[in-house]
Amino acid sequence: MTRLLAGAVVMALVAVGLTVGGWWPHRFLETAGREPVAIVLGRSRIAVPRGARVGVQVDRVIRDIAWTGSAWDVRVLPDRVPARPEDVVPYMEGMLVAELMRHADVRVVPLTPGVARLDRRTDTWLGGDAEGRFRFALDPSEIPYRTSRRVGEDMMSIVDTHGFNTLAAPAMHARPFVAIACMDLAASADAALYLASHGINVYGPPDRFGFRLLGYRERRPRAAMILGSAPVRGDGRGGAIIGGQPVEISVRETVIAQYTNRPEAWQYSDAPWRYFSELVERFALDLHVVRVYADAGEIDRVIAEARGRGAKVVAVRVGKSTSMDQAVRDAAVLSAWLSESPSHRAVLFHSALYEPGFQLFKQFPRQTTFGDLDPVIRRGVGL
Protein backbone atom coordinates (compact mmCIF):
# COMPACT_ATOMS: atom_id res chain seq x y z
CA MET A 1 0.00 0.00 0.00
CA THR A 2 2.84 2.36 0.88
CA ARG A 3 4.59 1.67 -2.44
CA LEU A 4 1.34 2.33 -4.37
CA LEU A 5 0.89 5.64 -2.58
CA ALA A 6 4.52 6.63 -3.24
CA GLY A 7 4.08 5.71 -6.88
CA ALA A 8 0.95 7.85 -7.15
CA VAL A 9 2.80 10.82 -5.67
CA VAL A 10 5.67 10.39 -8.12
CA MET A 11 3.32 10.14 -11.11
CA ALA A 12 1.45 13.23 -9.92
CA LEU A 13 4.70 15.15 -9.77
CA VAL A 14 5.54 13.98 -13.29
CA ALA A 15 2.15 15.23 -14.50
CA VAL A 16 2.76 18.62 -12.90
CA GLY A 17 6.16 18.79 -14.50
CA LEU A 18 4.73 18.02 -17.92
CA THR A 19 2.10 20.79 -17.63
CA VAL A 20 4.58 23.49 -16.62
CA GLY A 21 7.47 22.18 -18.66
CA GLY A 22 9.49 21.93 -15.46
CA TRP A 23 12.72 19.97 -15.16
CA TRP A 24 12.50 19.38 -11.43
CA PRO A 25 10.14 16.33 -11.42
CA HIS A 26 12.44 14.52 -13.87
CA ARG A 27 15.42 15.22 -11.65
CA PHE A 28 13.32 14.04 -8.70
CA LEU A 29 12.70 10.74 -10.47
CA GLU A 30 16.44 10.10 -10.61
CA THR A 31 16.56 9.72 -6.84
CA ALA A 32 13.03 9.19 -5.54
CA GLY A 33 11.18 5.92 -5.98
CA ARG A 34 14.17 4.26 -7.65
CA GLU A 35 15.12 1.12 -5.77
CA PRO A 36 17.80 -1.48 -6.50
CA VAL A 37 16.33 -4.27 -8.60
CA ALA A 38 19.45 -6.17 -9.67
CA ILE A 39 23.22 -6.31 -9.25
CA VAL A 40 25.62 -6.92 -12.13
CA LEU A 41 28.92 -8.40 -11.01
CA GLY A 42 31.94 -8.93 -13.24
CA ARG A 43 31.53 -6.14 -15.75
CA SER A 44 34.76 -4.53 -14.53
CA ARG A 45 37.74 -5.34 -16.71
CA ILE A 46 41.32 -4.47 -17.49
CA ALA A 47 42.15 -4.55 -21.20
CA VAL A 48 45.85 -5.38 -21.31
CA PRO A 49 47.53 -4.24 -24.56
CA ARG A 50 50.07 -6.44 -26.25
CA GLY A 51 53.54 -5.85 -24.83
CA ALA A 52 52.26 -3.97 -21.76
CA ARG A 53 54.50 -3.71 -18.70
CA VAL A 54 53.19 -5.85 -15.85
CA GLY A 55 54.67 -5.33 -12.38
CA VAL A 56 54.64 -8.39 -10.12
CA GLN A 57 55.46 -9.40 -6.58
CA VAL A 58 58.59 -11.58 -6.41
CA ASP A 59 57.14 -14.33 -4.24
CA ARG A 60 55.15 -16.94 -6.20
CA VAL A 61 55.91 -15.22 -9.52
CA ILE A 62 59.63 -14.72 -10.00
CA ARG A 63 60.65 -17.35 -7.45
CA ASP A 64 59.54 -19.34 -4.41
CA ILE A 65 62.36 -19.59 -1.89
CA ALA A 66 60.48 -22.30 0.04
CA TRP A 67 60.35 -24.57 -3.02
CA THR A 68 63.84 -25.95 -2.60
CA GLY A 69 65.35 -27.95 -5.42
CA SER A 70 63.01 -26.41 -8.01
CA ALA A 71 63.76 -24.22 -11.00
CA TRP A 72 62.29 -21.29 -9.05
CA ASP A 73 64.08 -21.56 -5.72
CA VAL A 74 66.44 -19.11 -4.05
CA ARG A 75 69.04 -19.56 -6.78
CA VAL A 76 66.83 -17.44 -9.05
CA LEU A 77 67.67 -13.75 -8.70
CA PRO A 78 64.71 -11.76 -7.32
CA ASP A 79 65.02 -9.16 -10.07
CA ARG A 80 65.20 -11.67 -12.91
CA VAL A 81 63.00 -10.63 -15.81
CA PRO A 82 61.28 -13.76 -17.19
CA ALA A 83 61.56 -14.13 -20.95
CA ARG A 84 59.00 -16.93 -21.35
CA PRO A 85 55.87 -18.11 -19.53
CA GLU A 86 57.87 -21.14 -18.43
CA ASP A 87 60.22 -18.85 -16.48
CA VAL A 88 57.64 -17.84 -13.86
CA VAL A 89 56.46 -19.91 -10.89
CA PRO A 90 53.81 -22.24 -12.37
CA TYR A 91 51.10 -21.76 -9.78
CA MET A 92 48.90 -19.08 -8.17
CA GLU A 93 49.92 -15.54 -9.22
CA GLY A 94 52.70 -16.99 -11.38
CA MET A 95 50.19 -19.09 -13.32
CA LEU A 96 48.08 -16.02 -14.09
CA VAL A 97 51.11 -13.96 -15.11
CA ALA A 98 52.04 -16.78 -17.50
CA GLU A 99 48.55 -16.53 -19.02
CA LEU A 100 49.10 -12.82 -19.66
CA MET A 101 52.47 -13.58 -21.24
CA ARG A 102 50.91 -16.16 -23.56
CA HIS A 103 47.96 -14.03 -24.60
CA ALA A 104 49.55 -10.57 -24.74
CA ASP A 105 53.32 -11.06 -24.66
CA VAL A 106 53.50 -8.74 -21.66
CA ARG A 107 56.83 -7.55 -20.25
CA VAL A 108 57.15 -8.65 -16.64
CA VAL A 109 58.81 -6.28 -14.15
CA PRO A 110 59.71 -7.63 -10.67
CA LEU A 111 58.62 -5.07 -8.05
CA THR A 112 61.47 -5.24 -5.54
CA PRO A 113 62.79 -4.41 -3.04
CA GLY A 114 60.20 -3.03 -0.68
CA VAL A 115 61.25 -1.11 2.42
CA ALA A 116 59.57 -1.40 5.83
CA ARG A 117 60.00 0.49 9.07
CA LEU A 118 59.26 -0.70 12.59
CA ASP A 119 56.66 1.33 14.47
CA ARG A 120 57.88 0.85 18.02
CA ARG A 121 54.64 2.15 19.52
CA THR A 122 52.70 -0.79 18.11
CA ASP A 123 55.61 -3.16 17.39
CA THR A 124 54.34 -3.33 13.80
CA TRP A 125 56.37 -3.25 10.60
CA LEU A 126 54.91 -0.85 8.04
CA GLY A 127 55.52 -0.85 4.29
CA GLY A 128 56.28 2.44 2.64
CA ASP A 129 54.75 4.40 -0.21
CA ALA A 130 56.51 6.46 -2.88
CA GLU A 131 56.30 9.59 -0.73
CA GLY A 132 58.34 8.01 2.05
CA ARG A 133 55.41 7.45 4.38
CA PHE A 134 55.26 4.11 6.19
CA ARG A 135 51.60 3.17 6.55
CA PHE A 136 50.83 -0.32 5.20
CA ALA A 137 51.01 -2.90 7.99
CA LEU A 138 52.91 -6.07 7.13
CA ASP A 139 52.14 -9.61 8.14
CA PRO A 140 54.76 -10.63 10.75
CA SER A 141 55.52 -13.70 8.61
CA GLU A 142 56.93 -11.43 5.89
CA ILE A 143 59.68 -10.06 8.11
CA PRO A 144 61.62 -13.24 9.02
CA TYR A 145 62.15 -14.25 5.36
CA ARG A 146 65.76 -15.21 5.20
CA THR A 147 66.14 -12.96 2.15
CA SER A 148 64.95 -9.85 4.03
CA ARG A 149 67.73 -7.79 5.53
CA ARG A 150 68.06 -4.92 7.94
CA VAL A 151 69.21 -1.65 6.41
CA GLY A 152 69.01 0.31 9.64
CA GLU A 153 68.05 -0.11 13.28
CA ASP A 154 64.33 0.05 12.50
CA MET A 155 64.41 -0.48 8.72
CA MET A 156 64.08 -3.64 6.66
CA SER A 157 64.57 -4.31 2.95
CA ILE A 158 62.06 -6.89 1.69
CA VAL A 159 63.44 -8.60 -1.39
CA ASP A 160 60.80 -11.32 -1.85
CA THR A 161 57.88 -8.92 -1.97
CA HIS A 162 54.47 -10.45 -1.29
CA GLY A 163 51.33 -8.34 -1.25
CA PHE A 164 50.65 -4.77 -2.34
CA ASN A 165 51.60 -3.59 1.15
CA THR A 166 55.23 -4.58 0.50
CA LEU A 167 55.61 -3.15 -3.01
CA ALA A 168 53.68 0.12 -3.18
CA ALA A 169 56.86 2.18 -3.48
CA PRO A 170 58.63 0.09 -6.16
CA ALA A 171 55.36 -0.11 -8.11
CA MET A 172 55.08 3.67 -8.14
CA HIS A 173 58.68 3.97 -9.33
CA ALA A 174 58.22 1.33 -12.07
CA ARG A 175 54.76 2.63 -13.16
CA PRO A 176 53.58 -0.61 -14.81
CA PHE A 177 50.31 -0.76 -16.74
CA VAL A 178 49.05 -3.27 -14.17
CA ALA A 179 50.45 -4.46 -10.84
CA ILE A 180 49.81 -8.02 -9.65
CA ALA A 181 50.13 -9.10 -6.02
CA CYS A 182 48.34 -10.64 -3.06
CA MET A 183 45.37 -8.79 -1.50
CA ASP A 184 44.77 -11.03 1.52
CA LEU A 185 45.43 -8.39 4.18
CA ALA A 186 43.55 -5.21 5.00
CA ALA A 187 46.74 -3.21 4.42
CA SER A 188 47.25 -4.89 1.04
CA ALA A 189 43.79 -3.70 -0.03
CA ASP A 190 44.67 -0.20 1.20
CA ALA A 191 47.91 -0.28 -0.79
CA ALA A 192 46.02 -1.50 -3.87
CA LEU A 193 43.74 1.54 -3.61
CA TYR A 194 46.80 3.78 -3.24
CA LEU A 195 48.22 2.44 -6.52
CA ALA A 196 44.90 2.68 -8.36
CA SER A 197 44.46 6.25 -7.12
CA HIS A 198 47.75 7.02 -8.85
CA GLY A 199 46.66 5.52 -12.17
CA ILE A 200 48.09 1.99 -11.89
CA ASN A 201 45.66 -0.84 -12.64
CA VAL A 202 45.62 -3.49 -9.92
CA TYR A 203 44.99 -7.24 -10.11
CA GLY A 204 44.88 -9.04 -6.76
CA PRO A 205 43.69 -12.63 -7.33
CA PRO A 206 44.08 -13.54 -3.62
CA ASP A 207 41.17 -11.26 -2.73
CA ARG A 208 40.12 -12.08 0.81
CA PHE A 209 40.19 -8.40 1.79
CA GLY A 210 38.99 -6.98 -1.50
CA PHE A 211 35.59 -6.36 0.09
CA ARG A 212 37.08 -3.31 1.83
CA LEU A 213 37.22 -1.56 -1.53
CA LEU A 214 33.62 -2.12 -2.64
CA GLY A 215 32.34 0.99 -4.37
CA TYR A 216 35.80 2.57 -4.49
CA ARG A 217 35.12 4.29 -7.83
CA GLU A 218 32.17 6.15 -6.39
CA ARG A 219 34.59 7.78 -3.97
CA ARG A 220 37.48 8.02 -6.43
CA PRO A 221 36.01 8.11 -9.94
CA ARG A 222 39.38 8.76 -11.57
CA ALA A 223 41.02 5.71 -10.02
CA ALA A 224 42.35 2.93 -12.22
CA MET A 225 40.75 -0.51 -12.08
CA ILE A 226 41.10 -2.85 -9.11
CA LEU A 227 40.16 -6.47 -9.73
CA GLY A 228 40.15 -9.42 -7.37
CA SER A 229 39.97 -13.08 -8.35
CA ALA A 230 38.98 -12.45 -11.96
CA PRO A 231 39.67 -14.69 -14.98
CA VAL A 232 42.22 -13.98 -17.71
CA ARG A 233 41.61 -14.60 -21.42
CA GLY A 234 42.84 -13.44 -24.80
CA ASP A 235 40.99 -10.64 -26.53
CA GLY A 236 41.37 -12.14 -30.03
CA ARG A 237 43.54 -9.23 -31.18
CA GLY A 238 46.84 -10.02 -29.52
CA GLY A 239 46.00 -8.53 -26.13
CA ALA A 240 44.36 -9.89 -22.99
CA ILE A 241 41.32 -9.21 -20.83
CA ILE A 242 41.28 -9.54 -17.05
CA GLY A 243 37.69 -9.76 -15.81
CA GLY A 244 34.85 -8.68 -18.07
CA GLN A 245 32.64 -11.70 -17.32
CA PRO A 246 29.32 -10.26 -16.04
CA VAL A 247 26.52 -12.09 -14.27
CA GLU A 248 23.28 -10.48 -13.10
CA ILE A 249 21.57 -11.21 -9.78
CA SER A 250 18.07 -10.00 -8.96
CA VAL A 251 17.62 -8.51 -5.50
CA ARG A 252 14.65 -10.87 -5.15
CA GLU A 253 16.99 -13.86 -5.28
CA THR A 254 18.69 -15.67 -2.45
CA VAL A 255 22.47 -15.95 -2.43
CA ILE A 256 24.10 -18.81 -0.53
CA ALA A 257 27.51 -17.60 0.66
CA GLN A 258 30.33 -19.76 1.97
CA TYR A 259 31.92 -18.93 5.32
CA THR A 260 34.44 -20.30 7.80
CA ASN A 261 35.91 -19.16 11.10
CA ARG A 262 38.90 -21.47 11.02
CA PRO A 263 42.28 -19.73 11.05
CA GLU A 264 45.42 -19.78 8.93
CA ALA A 265 45.29 -22.01 5.84
CA TRP A 266 41.49 -22.39 6.07
CA GLN A 267 40.59 -18.73 6.57
CA TYR A 268 40.26 -17.81 2.88
CA SER A 269 36.91 -19.61 2.62
CA ASP A 270 35.32 -16.69 4.47
CA ALA A 271 35.89 -14.39 1.48
CA PRO A 272 32.43 -14.99 -0.09
CA TRP A 273 30.55 -14.04 3.07
CA ARG A 274 32.81 -11.06 3.76
CA TYR A 275 32.09 -9.69 0.29
CA PHE A 276 28.33 -10.20 0.20
CA SER A 277 27.69 -8.93 3.72
CA GLU A 278 29.63 -5.77 2.84
CA LEU A 279 27.86 -5.49 -0.55
CA VAL A 280 24.43 -5.53 1.11
CA GLU A 281 25.44 -2.93 3.70
CA ARG A 282 27.44 -0.68 1.38
CA PHE A 283 24.67 -0.36 -1.24
CA ALA A 284 21.66 -0.77 1.11
CA LEU A 285 20.42 -3.81 -0.78
CA ASP A 286 17.40 -5.86 0.20
CA LEU A 287 19.20 -9.02 -0.92
CA HIS A 288 18.73 -12.23 1.03
CA VAL A 289 22.16 -13.73 1.76
CA VAL A 290 22.41 -17.01 3.66
CA ARG A 291 25.70 -17.86 5.36
CA VAL A 292 26.80 -21.50 5.23
CA TYR A 293 29.82 -22.85 7.07
CA ALA A 294 31.99 -24.78 4.61
CA ASP A 295 35.76 -25.21 4.51
CA ALA A 296 37.85 -26.05 1.45
CA GLY A 297 36.63 -29.32 0.01
CA GLU A 298 33.13 -28.82 1.46
CA ILE A 299 31.28 -26.83 -1.21
CA ASP A 300 28.71 -29.64 -1.26
CA ARG A 301 27.33 -28.05 1.94
CA VAL A 302 26.70 -24.81 0.07
CA ILE A 303 25.08 -26.62 -2.84
CA ALA A 304 22.86 -28.64 -0.48
CA GLU A 305 21.63 -25.39 1.10
CA ALA A 306 20.99 -23.93 -2.36
CA ARG A 307 18.94 -26.98 -3.33
CA GLY A 308 16.97 -26.88 -0.09
CA ARG A 309 16.05 -23.22 -0.59
CA GLY A 310 15.64 -23.34 -4.35
CA ALA A 311 18.43 -20.77 -4.67
CA LYS A 312 20.18 -20.29 -8.00
CA VAL A 313 23.18 -18.22 -6.90
CA VAL A 314 26.09 -19.35 -4.75
CA ALA A 315 29.17 -17.46 -3.62
CA VAL A 316 32.09 -19.80 -3.00
CA ARG A 317 35.82 -20.36 -3.04
CA VAL A 318 37.37 -23.10 -5.17
CA GLY A 319 40.86 -23.49 -3.79
CA LYS A 320 42.98 -25.55 -1.48
CA SER A 321 43.78 -25.19 2.20
CA THR A 322 45.94 -28.26 2.80
CA SER A 323 45.64 -30.24 -0.42
CA MET A 324 44.81 -29.56 -4.07
CA ASP A 325 42.39 -32.49 -3.82
CA GLN A 326 40.08 -30.10 -1.96
CA ALA A 327 39.98 -27.71 -4.91
CA VAL A 328 39.47 -30.56 -7.39
CA ARG A 329 36.58 -31.95 -5.36
CA ASP A 330 34.89 -28.55 -4.97
CA ALA A 331 35.26 -27.81 -8.68
CA ALA A 332 33.60 -31.12 -9.57
CA VAL A 333 30.66 -30.47 -7.23
CA LEU A 334 30.17 -26.92 -8.48
CA SER A 335 30.55 -27.91 -12.13
CA ALA A 336 27.81 -30.54 -11.78
CA TRP A 337 25.45 -28.01 -10.19
CA LEU A 338 26.14 -25.35 -12.83
CA SER A 339 25.56 -27.92 -15.58
CA GLU A 340 22.05 -28.63 -14.29
CA SER A 341 20.64 -25.27 -15.40
CA PRO A 342 21.84 -22.13 -17.18
CA SER A 343 20.08 -20.16 -14.43
CA HIS A 344 22.54 -21.51 -11.85
CA ARG A 345 25.30 -18.99 -11.21
CA ALA A 346 28.43 -18.86 -9.04
CA VAL A 347 30.45 -15.90 -7.78
CA LEU A 348 33.99 -17.15 -7.21
CA PHE A 349 36.44 -15.71 -4.68
CA HIS A 350 40.11 -16.52 -4.20
CA SER A 351 39.63 -19.10 -6.98
CA ALA A 352 41.35 -17.92 -10.17
CA LEU A 353 44.67 -18.74 -8.45
CA TYR A 354 44.02 -22.47 -8.64
CA GLU A 355 43.73 -24.46 -11.83
CA PRO A 356 40.35 -26.07 -10.91
CA GLY A 357 38.86 -22.64 -10.14
CA PHE A 358 40.45 -21.03 -13.18
CA GLN A 359 38.96 -23.70 -15.45
CA LEU A 360 35.45 -23.11 -14.08
CA PHE A 361 35.59 -19.53 -15.38
CA LYS A 362 36.42 -20.91 -18.84
CA GLN A 363 33.92 -23.77 -18.71
CA PHE A 364 30.98 -21.58 -17.61
CA PRO A 365 31.66 -18.07 -18.95
CA ARG A 366 27.98 -17.01 -18.66
CA GLN A 367 27.41 -18.55 -15.23
CA THR A 368 30.54 -17.65 -13.28
CA THR A 369 31.92 -14.32 -12.23
CA PHE A 370 34.05 -12.72 -9.52
CA GLY A 371 33.65 -10.36 -6.59
CA ASP A 372 33.46 -7.12 -8.56
CA LEU A 373 34.64 -4.14 -6.49
CA ASP A 374 32.80 -1.71 -8.76
CA PRO A 375 29.43 -3.46 -9.16
CA VAL A 376 26.61 -2.11 -11.27
CA ILE A 377 23.41 -1.58 -9.27
CA ARG A 378 20.38 -1.55 -11.55
CA ARG A 379 17.58 0.61 -10.23
CA GLY A 380 13.93 0.91 -11.09
CA VAL A 381 10.84 2.81 -9.91
CA GLY A 382 9.55 1.02 -6.87
CA LEU A 383 5.86 0.75 -7.72
Side-chain angles (χ1 to χ4, degrees), residues 6 8-34:
V9 171
V10 170
M11 295 310 294
L13 286 168
V14 172
V16 171
L18 289 175
T19 58
V20 300
W23 52 268
W24 181 77
H26 295 281
R27 186 176 180 183
F28 177 81
L29 268 175
E30 291 176 3
T31 55
R34 294 180 63 81

Side-chain angles (χ1 to χ4, degrees), residues 69-150:
S70 75
W72 303 275
D73 63 15
V74 73
R75 293 169 296 178
V76 174
L77 295 177
D79 58 354
R80 182 181 76 169
V81 175
R84 308 168 302 156
E86 293 75 19
D87 292 340
V88 299
V89 175
Y91 70 90
M92 299 188 82
E93 292 94 338
M95 179 189 75
L96 296 171
V97 170
E99 286 290 317
L100 288 172
M101 294 178 76
R102 293 188 186 99
H103 289 301
D105 194 25
V106 298
R107 294 176 291 152
V108 177
V109 179
L111 300 176
T112 185
V115 179
R117 186 175 69 187
L118 178 64
D119 183 343
R120 291 191 175 276
R121 295 170 301 173
T122 61
D123 197 30
T124 302
W125 286 91
L126 303 174
D129 62 20
E131 290 76 39
R133 297 169 295 182
F134 291 88
R135 56 194 181 108
F136 304 121
L138 303 187
D139 188 317
S141 67
E142 293 167 338
I143 299 304
Y145 276 18
R146 67 178 186 270
T147 56
S148 298
R149 61 182 185 273
R150 286 188 179 272

Side-chain angles (χ1 to χ4, degrees), residues 32 46-47 53 73 113 123-124 137 149 156 195 199 202 209 224 230 252 260 276 281 318 321 323 333:
I46 300 173
R53 297 177 77 234
D73 63 15
D123 197 30
T124 302
R149 61 182 185 273
M156 186 78 71
L195 294 178
V202 168
F209 275 85
R252 296 179 180 272
T260 187
F276 268 93
E281 182 176 350
V318 177
S321 289
S323 168
V333 171

Side-chain angles (χ1 to χ4, degrees), residues 305-316:
E305 187 72 21
R307 293 189 192 282
R309 293 177 177 268
K312 298 180 179 180
V313 182
V314 298
V316 293

Side-chain angles (χ1 to χ4, degrees), residues 37 49 59 85 107 183 257-258 274 297 299 317 341 346-347 359:
V37 296
D59 188 36
R107 294 176 291 152
M183 198 162 54
Q258 184 178 6
R274 283 177 178 270
I299 277 183
R317 172 184 180 245
S341 170
V347 187
Q359 290 302 323

Side-chain angles (χ1 to χ4, degrees), residues 11-320:
M11 295 310 294
L13 286 168
V14 172
V16 171
L18 289 175
T19 58
V20 300
W23 52 268
W24 181 77
H26 295 281
R27 186 176 180 183
F28 177 81
L29 268 175
E30 291 176 3
T31 55
R34 294 180 63 81
E35 301 176 352
V37 296
I39 312 107
V40 180
L41 302 180
R43 181 170 290 177
S44 296
R45 55 189 271 166
I46 300 173
V48 182
R50 188 166 188 81
R53 297 177 77 234
V54 174
V56 300
Q57 66 182 31
V58 171
D59 188 36
R60 298 198 309 224
V61 179
I62 303 302
R63 67 181 187 179
D64 182 345
I65 62 174
W67 193 0
T68 57
S70 75
W72 303 275
D73 63 15
V74 73
R75 293 169 296 178
V76 174
L77 295 177
D79 58 354
R80 182 181 76 169
V81 175
R84 308 168 302 156
E86 293 75 19
D87 292 340
V88 299
V89 175
Y91 70 90
M92 299 188 82
E93 292 94 338
M95 179 189 75
L96 296 171
V97 170
E99 286 290 317
L100 288 172
M101 294 178 76
R102 293 188 186 99
H103 289 301
D105 194 25
V106 298
R107 294 176 291 152
V108 177
V109 179
L111 300 176
T112 185
V115 179
R117 186 175 69 187
L118 178 64
D119 183 343
R120 291 191 175 276
R121 295 170 301 173
T122 61
D123 197 30
T124 302
W125 286 91
L126 303 174
D129 62 20
E131 290 76 39
R133 297 169 295 182
F134 291 88
R135 56 194 181 108
F136 304 121
L138 303 187
D139 188 317
S141 67
E142 293 167 338
I143 299 304
Y145 276 18
R146 67 178 186 270
T147 56
S148 298
R149 61 182 185 273
R150 286 188 179 272
V151 291
E153 184 179 359
D154 294 333
M155 301 288 287
M156 186 78 71
S157 174
I158 301 176
V159 175
D160 285 84
T161 49
H162 179 114
F164 292 108
N165 54 337
T166 68
L167 54 74
M172 285 292 290
H173 294 314
R175 303 294 304 186
F177 177 78
V178 59
I180 301 177
C182 181
M183 198 162 54
D184 276 343
L185 293 175
S188 288
D190 295 343
L193 181 59
Y194 164 76
L195 294 178
S197 298
H198 286 81
I200 298 174
N201 293 302
V202 168
Y203 182 30
D207 60 352
R208 184 177 180 229
F209 275 85
F211 74 93
R212 288 171 57 90
L213 307 181
L214 267 165
Y216 73 99
R217 297 195 85 188
E218 289 187 355
R219 302 186 297 274
R220 304 191 185 187
R222 295 185 179 181
M225 296 303 301
I226 306 176
L227 299 185
S229 195
V232 175
R233 67 180 186 278
D235 65 2
R237 301 183 301 276
I241 300 292
I242 306 173
Q245 191 158 306
V247 162
E248 184 167 315
I249 303 169
S250 168
V251 295
R252 296 179 180 272
E253 296 192 80
T254 295
V255 176
I256 312 299
Q258 184 178 6
Y259 169 77
T260 187
N261 57 11
R262 291 182 68 179
E264 298 177 351
W266 301 90
Q267 64 188 347
Y268 308 104
S269 292
D270 69 1
W273 170 251
R274 283 177 178 270
Y275 175 91
F276 268 93
S277 58
E278 180 67 20
L279 179 74
V280 167
E281 182 176 350
R282 173 71 181 79
F283 294 99
L285 300 175
D286 189 20
L287 179 69
H288 188 207
V289 183
V290 177
R291 186 174 75 174
V292 173
Y293 188 102
D295 287 320
E298 298 177 348
I299 277 183
D300 54 305
R301 293 186 178 185
V302 178
I303 299 304
E305 187 72 21
R307 293 189 192 282
R309 293 177 177 268
K312 298 180 179 180
V313 182
V314 298
V316 293
R317 172 184 180 245
V318 177
K320 77 179 186 73

